[in-house]
Amino acid sequence: QVQLVESGGGLVQAGGSLTLSCAASGRIDIINTMGWFRQAPGKQGDFVAQSTTGGSINYAGSVKGRYTISWDNAKNTMSLQMKNLKPEDTAVYYCAASVGANIYWGQGTQVTVSS
């Protein structure tokens, strides 16, 4: 079992920055991949970024160059640094961890970007 708790969401003006955190606990040692997804109101969820234990990192095209995903081993925390935020980045952001065929989700944190 893996438990994930997000934090760091909030309201920011367009062009601003925010950093989201995802604290992981439980069987962290068996996690294959961790990542971020987001869901805007009335829309399907979208992939944002992911990082594998092998060191491979991928970003959605819409956030590449503006978002940075990272993992802090000492704190067992995954971060998502978001810069140059746009109104279309407004969504609930969820962190996720995959363990084999299972995916664990956090509760989500709201990010709102005003124009």
Side-chain angles (χ1 to χ4, degrees), residues 7-67:
S7 62
L11 173 65
V12 64
Q13 288 188 333
S17 301
L18 276 176
T19 297
L20 305 182
S21 296
C22 175
S25 60
R27 292 296 311 275
I28 299 169
D29 57 305
I30 58 175
I31 293 175
N32 307 121
T33 301
M34 291 194 70
W36 292 91
F37 293 78
R38 66 186 182 185
Q39 186 168 23
K43 296 186 178 181
Q44 289 185 335
D46 290 326
F47 165 78
V48 175
Q50 71 175 28
S51 177
T52 70
T53 53
S56 177
I57 293 177
N58 293 290
Y59 297 96
S62 58
V63 307
K64 199 169 187 179
R66 300 188 297 122
Y67 289 16

Side-chain angles (χ1 to χ4, degrees), residues 2-114:
V2 174
Q3 294 80 42
L4 304 171
V5 178
E6 300 104 333
S7 62
L11 173 65
V12 64
Q13 288 188 333
S17 301
L18 276 176
T19 297
L20 305 182
S21 296
C22 175
S25 60
R27 292 296 311 275
I28 299 169
D29 57 305
I30 58 175
I31 293 175
N32 307 121
T33 301
M34 291 194 70
W36 292 91
F37 293 78
R38 66 186 182 185
Q39 186 168 23
K43 296 186 178 181
Q44 289 185 335
D46 290 326
F47 165 78
V48 175
Q50 71 175 28
S51 177
T52 70
T53 53
S56 177
I57 293 177
N58 293 290
Y59 297 96
S62 58
V63 307
K64 199 169 187 179
R66 300 188 297 122
Y67 289 16
T68 303
I69 189 173
S70 61
W71 173 257
D72 185 331
N73 280 320
K75 298 181 179 179
N76 292 331
T77 298
M78 177 176 63
S79 296
L80 185 69
Q81 297 179 354
M82 307 182 293
K83 299 179 180 179
N84 190 22
L85 283 162
K86 305 175 181 181
E88 52 264 42
D89 294 319
T90 295
V92 178
Y93 283 69
Y94 298 90
C95 70
S98 68
V99 177
N102 296 317
I103 298 178
Y104 298 89
W105 296 91
Q107 82 285 359
T109 185
Q110 176 70 47
V111 172
T112 302
V113 184
S114 63

